[in-house]
Amino acid sequence: LAAAAGLDVDLHVKIEVDQVSGSHKSRHLFGVALHLLVDEELGAAAADRLAIASCGNAALAAGLIARALDRPLLVFVPVWADPVVVERLGELGAHIEVCERRDGEVGDPCVHRFREAVVAGARAFSVQGTDTPSTFDGGRTIGWELAEQVPDLDAVYVQVGGGALATATSLGLGDVRLHPVQAEGCAPLRRAWDRLAPDFDWGRAEAHPEDFMWPWDTEPTSAASGILDDVTYDWIPLLARTHRTGGEPIVAVESTIVRAHEFATTTTDVPVSVTGTAGLAGMIASPPAKGSHVAVLFTGIERE
């Protein structure tokens, strides 16, 4: 795979397509479920309705785990949601709400409706740390496993939508250099990084996040549809990890996004999606030093 992509590196691929529901999202949400059950055992009010905003893998993971918990789940999906995903969510007993953008509304309408449901009493059951902080805990298992499997790792390249995957993986890996990757059709994280540089005043970022992160200015587009969050929700902890480890965010042009997927599916037998190989696209766009020990995550299965 490295040779096909023109990379003279020691490349390791962490494969997540065989996880429960076909992606890494189940790791995050199983961790959230454990927190929920422990909290209830310790006296917290029972969560009688769970809610998530998602267009695909996160929703499926939430649907499976909510079914295992025997809890009702509200899923807020975009108008272009994959019919296969929507059908499966229905089979799992989820209540599905298709969200159209309202006149004058800025940002993801699914996230807006999800947050309205949480205000109305539903329990956030999402893969964004901003809404569900415990989502990082399950995700850190990827970093812990990778640290054991490749103890001399120099860098990891991770595709970014909302930001929880890259943040959690880096927390598990420690000081391994982190490169978050977005597509040119939706790259709010790099925009925030450039506005923070060179001072990287994290206090100001937390006090005035609107100066650095806002919804992408145009309609997000890419074949890697799973990373088209128009806001990188967990951008502050993600950029803090990136800066601390000596990495930087990478933006891959669309042709590289597509080529990375072609390389992955023609040189391996992993049934991975375009979204799932976007980290590799970032490595191709900004290659590491010759001989580096580097890793990417193949995160989501290609659905028929």
Side-chain angles (χ1 to χ4, degrees), residues 10 47 55 77 148 219 223 234 244 272 277:
D10 181 14
C55 63
V77 303
E148 290 184 349
E219 189 68 24
D234 294 308
R244 174 177 173 176
V272 62
T277 59

Side-chain angles (χ1 to χ4, degrees), residues 163-234:
L165 169 63
T167 305
T169 299
S170 182
L171 287 168
L173 278 172
D175 292 333
V176 172
R177 190 169 68 254
L178 171 65
H179 291 289
V181 179
Q182 290 188 309
E184 64 174 341
C186 186
L189 188 69
R190 179 72 208 202
R191 181 181 60 190
W193 174 269
D194 291 341
R195 291 178 69 85
L196 274 166
D199 298 328
F200 293 97
D201 185 340
W202 302 111
R204 184 184 167 207
E206 292 178 358
H208 301 284
E210 69 282 354
D211 291 344
F212 304 94
M213 179 60 65
W214 60 89
W216 193 239
D217 303 310
T218 58
E219 189 68 24
T221 60
S222 177
S225 59
I227 56 170
L228 293 183
D229 300 71
D230 60 359
V231 166
T232 307
Y233 300 100
D234 294 308

